[in-house]
Amino acid sequence: MSHQAEWDSTGVLAVATHALSLNYGNEVALNNVDLRIPEGAIYVLAGTNGAGKSSVMKSLLNLERPHAGTAQVFGLDTVARGPEVRAQIGYIPEWHAHEYGWLSCGQLLQHVAPFYPAWDHPYAATLIKAFDLSLTRRVDSLSKGEARRLQFVLALAHRPPLLLLDEPTDGLDPLARSRTLAILAEHLADTPTTVVMSTHHIGEIESLADHLGVLRAGKLVAQLSRDALRSTVHRYVLDVSEGWSIPPLLRCVDIKRSRTGRELAATFIGQQDDVRARLTGAGATVRDVTAVTLEHAALALLTDGGSR
């Protein structure tokens, strides 16, 4: 069962890519990626380091040119209409450094604002206060956490309809991460926005996210709404006979057996009715089925290798 193309095809798409492929020399970064991100979604892009998450975002910004395929943001081709696309995006890159390091934070904000006709100066002032940003500090003197807070102001102040957030809480201590995510939640409540976010802290955004995409070695191996995830990935507790083995064609990860081997817990990927039927048909008794968190589902889909 493939989850590559599970989305609401009747909805308006903020982001759509078609067979998007990108290479760095002989290294494949993206391989025929078909993203479908509905307008207004908060879409988590999960994957290990090097899976292609940053490459996706750079392709949407036309900072990297795909070797094949296309990408659209709000219906605009990212290559042909690059400046128009970028004007609608707030971007926080994974890398913290800024090329205008000799400027103060205030000077940088003044420099950037004219590039965005929608720049909201009163809101920028509110964000500066909320993030406790010193306008007199030189950009190249900022710590990783301070640089991240500056990037948030730059990304949010023009209230863009699309946010691309690449590991946005990286470099922040736990208290700062919590405060930053609270400010982001307030922003999303006040401003209609589509968000594409990659993060190693999926649990922290559990309450915000409503779509999940999973990249593995440049391939989009799963793409589901939260509702689809709830019906597709579950934790099962089984009573089984000694020596019992998982039937073929079932996809499962994170298997744990009791010492006696008569109780087994595993995360199975598939529609619950089908999984139950196959398990009971193989002689197992399904004792409990529970939903999993978004983080657990992402890990399951990342480690899933197909049939077992």
Side-chain angles (χ1 to χ4, degrees):
M1 177 182 175
S2 172
H3 305 291
Q4 165 75 14
E6 294 192 19
W7 65 84
D8 180 4
S9 60
T10 63
V12 177
L13 295 177
V15 174
T17 68
H18 307 272
L20 190 69
S21 299
L22 176 66
N23 300 331
Y24 297 118
N26 294 325
E27 181 182 349
V28 176
L30 299 174
N31 186 356
N32 289 310
V33 171
D34 290 332
L35 282 176
R36 300 291 185 270
I37 302 177
E39 192 169 332
I42 301 177
Y43 186 109
V44 175
L45 195 58
T48 59
N49 291 335
K53 304 184 299 296
S54 296
S55 295
V56 165
M57 296 190 184
K58 289 177 181 178
S59 295
L60 295 178
L61 287 156
N62 197 32
L63 300 177
E64 297 284 0
R65 291 287 183 95
H67 291 89
T70 59
Q72 289 84 37
V73 171
F74 300 114
L76 300 175
D77 184 271
T78 57
V79 174
R81 309 280 289 277
E84 292 173 75
V85 168
R86 286 191 290 275
Q88 299 187 68
I89 295 175
Y91 175 46
I92 295 182
E94 185 178 15
W95 186 245
H96 293 266
H98 203 288
E99 59 183 351
Y100 295 100
W102 67 89
L103 297 178
S104 70
C105 292
Q107 288 170 331
L108 179 60
L109 290 165
Q110 289 175 352
H111 172 75
V112 169
F115 290 98
Y116 297 97
W119 188 273
D120 186 334
H121 289 277
Y123 185 47
T126 298
L127 290 170
I128 290 164
K129 183 177 180 179
F131 282 108
D132 193 23
L133 189 65
S134 172
L135 296 180
T136 59
R137 289 280 302 279
R138 276 177 56 120
V139 172
D140 58 10
S141 73
L142 301 178
S143 68
K144 287 178 67 175
E146 290 167 333
R148 207 42 135 194
R149 298 202 299 271
L150 171 61
Q151 288 173 326
F152 263 98
V153 175
L154 291 166
L156 301 181
H158 59 111
R159 298 188 186 270
L162 175 62
L163 287 172
L164 301 180
L165 309 179
D166 196 355
E167 299 293 343
T169 60
D170 186 35
L172 300 177
D173 61 53
L175 183 61
R177 284 206 304 268
S178 177
R179 176 60 182 149
T180 297
L181 291 172
I183 294 171
L184 178 60
E186 292 171 6
H187 175 87
L188 297 177
D190 293 337
T191 307
T193 313
T194 303
V195 181
V196 182
M197 180 189 304
S198 71
T199 178
H200 291 300
H201 304 284
I202 295 176
E204 292 182 342
I205 58 168
E206 182 82 26
S207 63
L208 294 176
D210 54 20
H211 284 72
L212 175 69
V214 178
L215 278 169
R216 190 163 58 212
K219 292 185 177 181
L220 189 67
V221 298
Q223 181 167 234
L224 303 98
S225 68
R226 181 184 281 273
D227 289 342
L229 276 170
R230 287 188 178 126
S231 66
T232 305
V233 186
H234 295 87
R235 188 73 175 166
Y236 293 74
V237 178
L238 313 175
D239 289 328
V240 297
S241 59
E242 189 174 353
W244 183 88
S245 60
I246 294 168
L249 302 181
L250 275 184
R251 299 163 60 192
C252 71
V253 294
D254 191 21
I255 306 166
K256 295 181 180 178
R257 294 179 182 268
S258 66
R259 288 186 178 181
T260 64
R262 296 182 180 277
E263 181 180 290
L264 181 147
T267 301
F268 286 89
I269 301 170
Q271 294 298 320
Q272 186 178 156
D273 290 346
D274 180 61
V275 173
R276 276 182 175 272
R278 290 178 184 273
L279 291 171
T280 56
T285 299
V286 179
R287 185 147 53 84
D288 189 34
V289 181
T290 56
V292 299
T293 64
L294 187 71
E295 184 169 27
H296 191 130
L299 289 171
L301 291 164
L302 277 170
T303 56
D304 172 45
S307 302
R308 298 290 188 271

